[in-house]
């Protein structure tokens, strides 16, 4: 019973992700958040390169849960090489923002 509830909860979380909103956040982070931060696309214009970085972290770039975990860890500063670049997003991107960004990244076509 508990397992069914957990699986159902994960499915609801994934279904609640909005890839279109994630696309807007990715391409116009400053505009979408209203905060003075850089746009994700400025450094991650190549979807292939971004998915490659996610694979280098040991996961599947098509798994929204893994992508979200990588985003969260990067913003927290616990991913080597990402701490300084991602610090600007601490306290800016919400849980919903990270969910939507991960939905977009996992669904984005290869560039």
């Amino acid at each position: 019973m508990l397992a069914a509830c957990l699986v159902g909860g994960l499915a609801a979380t994934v279904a609640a992700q909005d890839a279109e909103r994630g696309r807007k956040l990715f391409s116009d982070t400053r505009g979408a958040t209203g905060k003075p931060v850089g746009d994700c696309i400025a450094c991650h214009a190549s979807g292939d390169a971004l998915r490659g970085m996610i694979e280098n972290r040991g996961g599947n770039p098509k798994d929204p849960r893994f992508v979200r975990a990588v985003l969260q860890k990067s913003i927290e500063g616990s991913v080597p090489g990402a701490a300084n670049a991602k610090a600007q997003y601490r306290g800016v991107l919400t849980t919903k923002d990270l969910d939507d960004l991960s939905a977009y990244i996992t669904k984005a076509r290869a560039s």
Side-chain angles (χ1 to χ4, degrees):
M1 178 74 158
L2 178 59
C5 290
L6 290 174
V7 170
L10 288 175
T13 300
V14 172
Q17 294 177 333
D18 183 344
E20 177 57 24
R21 183 172 177 276
R23 183 193 64 75
K24 291 175 185 172
L25 277 162
F26 190 82
S27 62
D28 185 17
T29 315
R30 179 184 298 248
T33 63
K35 305 287 183 177
V37 295
D39 298 330
C40 299
I41 198 167
C43 295
H44 302 291
S46 168
D48 291 336
L50 179 58
R51 283 183 285 282
M53 283 189 278
I54 292 166
E55 286 176 341
N56 288 339
R57 304 286 188 261
N60 180 354
K62 294 182 181 179
D63 177 354
R65 290 174 291 183
F66 185 83
V67 172
R68 191 196 183 295
V70 169
L71 292 173
Q72 183 69 48
K73 288 179 180 180
S74 296
I75 291 168
E76 290 171 353
S78 59
V79 174
N84 293 331
K86 304 301 183 282
Q88 65 181 318
Y89 302 110
R90 288 182 205 140
V92 172
L93 296 176
T94 67
T95 299
K96 173 82 172 125
D97 293 339
L98 294 177
D99 289 343
D100 294 346
L101 279 166
S102 65
Y104 169 69
I105 292 167
T106 59
K107 294 178 180 180
R109 288 182 293 170
S111 53

